[in-house]
PDB file of all heavy atoms in Angstrom:
ATOM      1  N   LEU L 210     -78.719  95.910  -8.772  1.00  0.00           N
ATOM      2  CA  LEU L 210     -79.258  94.707  -9.330  1.00  0.00           C
ATOM      3  C   LEU L 210     -78.179  93.834  -9.788  1.00  0.00           C
ATOM      4  O   LEU L 210     -78.094  92.562  -9.555  1.00  0.00           O
ATOM      5  CB  LEU L 210     -80.128  95.098 -10.605  1.00  0.00           C
ATOM      6  CG  LEU L 210     -81.488  95.728 -10.294  1.00  0.00           C
ATOM      7  CD1 LEU L 210     -82.217  95.849 -11.678  1.00  0.00           C
ATOM      8  CD2 LEU L 210     -82.358  94.867  -9.388  1.00  0.00           C
ATOM      9  N   HIS L 211     -77.112  94.434 -10.492  1.00  0.00           N
ATOM     10  CA  HIS L 211     -76.102  93.682 -11.029  1.00  0.00           C
ATOM     11  C   HIS L 211     -75.153  92.989  -9.965  1.00  0.00           C
ATOM     12  O   HIS L 211     -74.721  91.839 -10.047  1.00  0.00           O
ATOM     13  CB  HIS L 211     -75.205  94.554 -11.958  1.00  0.00           C
ATOM     14  CG  HIS L 211     -74.007  93.840 -12.588  1.00  0.00           C
ATOM     15  ND1 HIS L 211     -74.342  92.855 -13.585  1.00  0.00           N
ATOM     16  CD2 HIS L 211     -72.688  93.845 -12.303  1.00  0.00           C
ATOM     17  CE1 HIS L 211     -73.055  92.486 -13.984  1.00  0.00           C
ATOM     18  NE2 HIS L 211     -72.074  93.023 -13.230  1.00  0.00           N
ATOM     19  N   HIS L 212     -74.832  93.723  -8.910  1.00  0.00           N
ATOM     20  CA  HIS L 212     -73.787  93.308  -7.980  1.00  0.00           C
ATOM     21  C   HIS L 212     -74.395  92.539  -6.719  1.00  0.00           C
ATOM     22  O   HIS L 212     -73.754  91.935  -6.068  1.00  0.00           O
ATOM     23  CB  HIS L 212     -72.971  94.475  -7.456  1.00  0.00           C
ATOM     24  CG  HIS L 212     -72.030  95.013  -8.511  1.00  0.00           C
ATOM     25  ND1 HIS L 212     -70.938  94.357  -9.017  1.00  0.00           N
ATOM     26  CD2 HIS L 212     -72.116  96.177  -9.259  1.00  0.00           C
ATOM     27  CE1 HIS L 212     -70.343  95.076  -9.921  1.00  0.00           C
ATOM     28  NE2 HIS L 212     -71.065  96.274 -10.110  1.00  0.00           N
ATOM     29  N   VAL L 213     -75.629  92.781  -6.509  1.00  0.00           N
ATOM     30  CA  VAL L 213     -76.291  92.193  -5.278  1.00  0.00           C
ATOM     31  C   VAL L 213     -77.507  91.288  -5.657  1.00  0.00           C
ATOM     32  O   VAL L 213     -77.414  90.156  -5.392  1.00  0.00           O
ATOM     33  CB  VAL L 213     -76.797  93.335  -4.341  1.00  0.00           C
ATOM     34  CG1 VAL L 213     -77.332  92.701  -3.040  1.00  0.00           C
ATOM     35  CG2 VAL L 213     -75.584  94.242  -4.057  1.00  0.00           C
ATOM     36  N   VAL L 214     -78.568  91.873  -6.207  1.00  0.00           N
ATOM     37  CA  VAL L 214     -79.910  91.239  -6.387  1.00  0.00           C
ATOM     38  C   VAL L 214     -79.802  90.003  -7.313  1.00  0.00           C
ATOM     39  O   VAL L 214     -80.211  88.986  -7.000  1.00  0.00           O
ATOM     40  CB  VAL L 214     -80.957  92.233  -6.868  1.00  0.00           C
ATOM     41  CG1 VAL L 214     -82.242  91.463  -7.097  1.00  0.00           C
ATOM     42  CG2 VAL L 214     -81.183  93.313  -5.915  1.00  0.00           C
ATOM     43  N   HIS L 215     -79.025  90.335  -8.399  1.00  0.00           N
ATOM     44  CA  HIS L 215     -78.919  89.256  -9.465  1.00  0.00           C
ATOM     45  C   HIS L 215     -77.563  88.547  -9.405  1.00  0.00           C
ATOM     46  O   HIS L 215     -77.202  87.748 -10.228  1.00  0.00           O
ATOM     47  CB  HIS L 215     -79.062  89.887 -10.862  1.00  0.00           C
ATOM     48  CG  HIS L 215     -80.384  90.324 -11.088  1.00  0.00           C
ATOM     49  ND1 HIS L 215     -80.722  91.264 -12.055  1.00  0.00           N
ATOM     50  CD2 HIS L 215     -81.559  90.137 -10.450  1.00  0.00           C
ATOM     51  CE1 HIS L 215     -82.024  91.606 -11.979  1.00  0.00           C
ATOM     52  NE2 HIS L 215     -82.587  90.877 -11.094  1.00  0.00           N
ATOM     53  N   HIS L 216     -76.756  88.891  -8.299  1.00  0.00           N
ATOM     54  CA  HIS L 216     -75.439  88.198  -8.174  1.00  0.00           C
ATOM     55  C   HIS L 216     -75.705  86.929  -7.379  1.00  0.00           C
ATOM     56  O   HIS L 216     -76.101  86.903  -6.110  1.00  0.00           O
ATOM     57  CB  HIS L 216     -74.519  89.052  -7.362  1.00  0.00           C
ATOM     58  CG  HIS L 216     -73.101  88.624  -7.436  1.00  0.00           C
ATOM     59  ND1 HIS L 216     -72.630  87.631  -6.627  1.00  0.00           N
ATOM     60  CD2 HIS L 216     -71.984  89.066  -8.159  1.00  0.00           C
ATOM     61  CE1 HIS L 216     -71.323  87.429  -6.888  1.00  0.00           C
ATOM     62  NE2 HIS L 216     -70.986  88.298  -7.800  1.00  0.00           N
ATOM     63  N   SER L 217     -75.586  85.721  -8.013  1.00  0.00           N
ATOM     64  CA  SER L 217     -76.074  84.449  -7.410  1.00  0.00           C
ATOM     65  C   SER L 217     -75.432  84.228  -6.017  1.00  0.00           C
ATOM     66  O   SER L 217     -76.181  83.800  -5.120  1.00  0.00           O
ATOM     67  CB  SER L 217     -75.733  83.253  -8.398  1.00  0.00           C
ATOM     68  OG  SER L 217     -74.367  83.284  -8.687  1.00  0.00           O
ATOM     69  N   SER L 218     -74.147  84.322  -5.878  1.00  0.00           N
ATOM     70  CA  SER L 218     -73.588  84.048  -4.654  1.00  0.00           C
ATOM     71  C   SER L 218     -73.948  84.980  -3.540  1.00  0.00           C
ATOM     72  O   SER L 218     -74.087  84.608  -2.280  1.00  0.00           O
ATOM     73  CB  SER L 218     -71.982  83.990  -4.780  1.00  0.00           C
ATOM     74  OG  SER L 218     -71.522  85.173  -5.192  1.00  0.00           O
ATOM     75  N   THR L 219     -74.091  86.245  -3.904  1.00  0.00           N
ATOM     76  CA  THR L 219     -74.443  87.300  -2.884  1.00  0.00           C
ATOM     77  C   THR L 219     -75.870  87.108  -2.399  1.00  0.00           C
ATOM     78  O   THR L 219     -76.198  87.184  -1.252  1.00  0.00           O
ATOM     79  CB  THR L 219     -74.139  88.677  -3.431  1.00  0.00           C
ATOM     80  OG1 THR L 219     -72.828  88.849  -3.778  1.00  0.00           O
ATOM     81  CG2 THR L 219     -74.535  89.783  -2.345  1.00  0.00           C
ATOM     82  N   ALA L 220     -76.741  86.923  -3.411  1.00  0.00           N
ATOM     83  CA  ALA L 220     -78.174  86.817  -3.159  1.00  0.00           C
ATOM     84  C   ALA L 220     -78.441  85.625  -2.267  1.00  0.00           C
ATOM     85  O   ALA L 220     -79.567  85.648  -1.547  1.00  0.00           O
ATOM     86  CB  ALA L 220     -78.926  86.802  -4.423  1.00  0.00           C
ATOM     87  N   LYS L 221     -77.733  84.658  -2.314  1.00  0.00           N
ATOM     88  CA  LYS L 221     -77.966  83.404  -1.451  1.00  0.00           C
ATOM     89  C   LYS L 221     -77.517  83.546  -0.028  1.00  0.00           C
ATOM     90  O   LYS L 221     -77.882  82.788   0.751  1.00  0.00           O
ATOM     91  CB  LYS L 221     -77.315  82.198  -2.128  1.00  0.00           C
ATOM     92  CG  LYS L 221     -77.942  81.826  -3.476  1.00  0.00           C
ATOM     93  CD  LYS L 221     -77.213  80.653  -4.045  1.00  0.00           C
ATOM     94  CE  LYS L 221     -77.828  80.136  -5.408  1.00  0.00           C
ATOM     95  NZ  LYS L 221     -77.117  79.079  -6.000  1.00  0.00           N
ATOM     96  N   THR L 222     -76.672  84.455   0.218  1.00  0.00           N
ATOM     97  CA  THR L 222     -76.054  84.622   1.590  1.00  0.00           C
ATOM     98  C   THR L 222     -76.515  85.718   2.421  1.00  0.00           C
ATOM     99  O   THR L 222     -76.268  85.757   3.605  1.00  0.00           O
ATOM    100  CB  THR L 222     -74.562  84.711   1.399  1.00  0.00           C
ATOM    101  OG1 THR L 222     -74.178  85.808   0.631  1.00  0.00           O
ATOM    102  CG2 THR L 222     -73.925  83.472   0.734  1.00  0.00           C
ATOM    103  N   ILE L 223     -77.218  86.751   1.758  1.00  0.00           N
ATOM    104  CA  ILE L 223     -77.669  87.940   2.672  1.00  0.00           C
ATOM    105  C   ILE L 223     -79.165  88.086   2.373  1.00  0.00           C
ATOM    106  O   ILE L 223     -79.820  87.586   1.361  1.00  0.00           O
ATOM    107  CB  ILE L 223     -76.865  89.116   2.288  1.00  0.00           C
ATOM    108  CG1 ILE L 223     -77.221  89.617   0.849  1.00  0.00           C
ATOM    109  CG2 ILE L 223     -75.442  88.966   2.444  1.00  0.00           C
ATOM    110  CD1 ILE L 223     -76.612  91.020   0.503  1.00  0.00           C
ATOM    111  N   SER L 224     -79.771  88.860   3.231  1.00  0.00           N
ATOM    112  CA  SER L 224     -81.181  89.221   3.197  1.00  0.00           C
ATOM    113  C   SER L 224     -81.254  90.461   2.205  1.00  0.00           C
ATOM    114  O   SER L 224     -80.436  91.449   2.427  1.00  0.00           O
ATOM    115  CB  SER L 224     -81.820  89.565   4.522  1.00  0.00           C
ATOM    116  OG  SER L 224     -81.736  88.402   5.291  1.00  0.00           O
ATOM    117  N   ILE L 225     -82.171  90.438   1.227  1.00  0.00           N
ATOM    118  CA  ILE L 225     -82.236  91.470   0.328  1.00  0.00           C
ATOM    119  C   ILE L 225     -83.759  92.028   0.248  1.00  0.00           C
ATOM    120  O   ILE L 225     -84.655  91.119   0.143  1.00  0.00           O
ATOM    121  CB  ILE L 225     -81.907  91.065  -1.077  1.00  0.00           C
ATOM    122  CG1 ILE L 225     -80.423  90.596  -1.146  1.00  0.00           C
ATOM    123  CG2 ILE L 225     -82.124  92.193  -2.104  1.00  0.00           C
ATOM    124  CD1 ILE L 225     -79.927  90.045  -2.374  1.00  0.00           C
ATOM    125  N   PRO L 226     -84.040  93.293   0.269  1.00  0.00           N
ATOM    126  CA  PRO L 226     -85.324  93.878   0.145  1.00  0.00           C
ATOM    127  C   PRO L 226     -85.991  93.443  -1.118  1.00  0.00           C
ATOM    128  O   PRO L 226     -85.325  93.120  -2.065  1.00  0.00           O
ATOM    129  CB  PRO L 226     -85.154  95.322   0.323  1.00  0.00           C
ATOM    130  CG  PRO L 226     -83.905  95.568   0.846  1.00  0.00           C
ATOM    131  CD  PRO L 226     -83.031  94.394   0.452  1.00  0.00           C
ATOM    132  N   PRO L 227     -87.258  93.418  -1.198  1.00  0.00           N
ATOM    133  CA  PRO L 227     -88.005  93.164  -2.543  1.00  0.00           C
ATOM    134  C   PRO L 227     -87.477  94.122  -3.516  1.00  0.00           C
ATOM    135  O   PRO L 227     -87.382  95.202  -3.412  1.00  0.00           O
ATOM    136  CB  PRO L 227     -89.425  93.377  -2.174  1.00  0.00           C
ATOM    137  CG  PRO L 227     -89.602  93.194  -0.670  1.00  0.00           C
ATOM    138  CD  PRO L 227     -88.309  93.719  -0.096  1.00  0.00           C
ATOM    139  N   SER L 228     -87.228  93.456  -4.699  1.00  0.00           N
ATOM    140  CA  SER L 228     -86.578  94.315  -5.807  1.00  0.00           C
ATOM    141  C   SER L 228     -87.636  95.398  -6.303  1.00  0.00           C
ATOM    142  O   SER L 228     -87.241  96.457  -6.760  1.00  0.00           O
ATOM    143  CB  SER L 228     -86.208  93.404  -6.970  1.00  0.00           C
ATOM    144  OG  SER L 228     -87.262  92.626  -7.450  1.00  0.00           O
ATOM    145  N   GLU L 229     -88.927  95.056  -6.228  1.00  0.00           N
ATOM    146  CA  GLU L 229     -89.840  96.075  -6.648  1.00  0.00           C
ATOM    147  C   GLU L 229     -89.871  97.285  -5.740  1.00  0.00           C
ATOM    148  O   GLU L 229     -90.180  98.319  -6.172  1.00  0.00           O
ATOM    149  CB  GLU L 229     -91.338  95.466  -6.671  1.00  0.00           C
ATOM    150  CG  GLU L 229     -91.806  94.744  -5.452  1.00  0.00           C
ATOM    151  CD  GLU L 229     -91.524  93.319  -5.342  1.00  0.00           C
ATOM    152  OE1 GLU L 229     -90.503  92.849  -5.826  1.00  0.00           O
ATOM    153  OE2 GLU L 229     -92.388  92.604  -4.817  1.00  0.00           O
ATOM    154  N   SER L 230     -89.622  97.174  -4.450  1.00  0.00           N
ATOM    155  CA  SER L 230     -89.570  98.277  -3.534  1.00  0.00           C
ATOM    156  C   SER L 230     -88.285  99.103  -3.850  1.00  0.00           C
ATOM    157  O   SER L 230     -88.316 100.298  -3.924  1.00  0.00           O
ATOM    158  CB  SER L 230     -89.429  97.786  -2.159  1.00  0.00           C
ATOM    159  OG  SER L 230     -88.337  96.963  -1.842  1.00  0.00           O
ATOM    160  N   LEU L 231     -87.168  98.503  -4.302  1.00  0.00           N
ATOM    161  CA  LEU L 231     -86.004  99.165  -4.623  1.00  0.00           C
ATOM    162  C   LEU L 231     -86.233 100.051  -5.881  1.00  0.00           C
ATOM    163  O   LEU L 231     -85.821 101.156  -6.024  1.00  0.00           O
ATOM    164  CB  LEU L 231     -84.802  98.243  -4.881  1.00  0.00           C
ATOM    165  CG  LEU L 231     -84.354  97.405  -3.745  1.00  0.00           C
ATOM    166  CD1 LEU L 231     -83.304  96.412  -4.105  1.00  0.00           C
ATOM    167  CD2 LEU L 231     -83.822  98.317  -2.587  1.00  0.00           C
ATOM    168  N   LYS L 232     -86.875  99.373  -6.848  1.00  0.00           N
ATOM    169  CA  LYS L 232     -87.182 100.156  -8.127  1.00  0.00           C
ATOM    170  C   LYS L 232     -88.173 101.259  -7.833  1.00  0.00           C
ATOM    171  O   LYS L 232     -88.045 102.356  -8.356  1.00  0.00           O
ATOM    172  CB  LYS L 232     -87.780  99.162  -9.115  1.00  0.00           C
ATOM    173  CG  LYS L 232     -88.195  99.840 -10.521  1.00  0.00           C
ATOM    174  CD  LYS L 232     -88.571  98.750 -11.442  1.00  0.00           C
ATOM    175  CE  LYS L 232     -88.782  99.423 -12.820  1.00  0.00           C
ATOM    176  NZ  LYS L 232     -89.383  98.420 -13.819  1.00  0.00           N
ATOM    177  N   GLN L 233     -89.131 101.011  -6.975  1.00  0.00           N
ATOM    178  CA  GLN L 233     -90.133 102.048  -6.596  1.00  0.00           C
ATOM    179  C   GLN L 233     -89.386 103.329  -5.979  1.00  0.00           C
ATOM    180  O   GLN L 233     -89.701 104.392  -6.339  1.00  0.00           O
ATOM    181  CB  GLN L 233     -91.134 101.591  -5.668  1.00  0.00           C
ATOM    182  CG  GLN L 233     -92.237 102.462  -5.181  1.00  0.00           C
ATOM    183  CD  GLN L 233     -93.131 101.858  -4.173  1.00  0.00           C
ATOM    184  OE1 GLN L 233     -92.638 101.583  -3.059  1.00  0.00           O
ATOM    185  NE2 GLN L 233     -94.444 101.732  -4.472  1.00  0.00           N
TER     186      GLN L 233
END
Side-chain angles (χ1 to χ4, degrees):
L210 288 184
H211 181 74
H212 292 288
V213 184
V214 178
H215 295 160
H216 194 283
S217 58
S218 61
T219 301
K221 291 178 181 178
T222 58
I223 68 173
S224 297
I225 299 174
S228 57
E229 55 265 39
S230 63
L231 298 176
K232 184 175 183 179
Q233 181 185 62

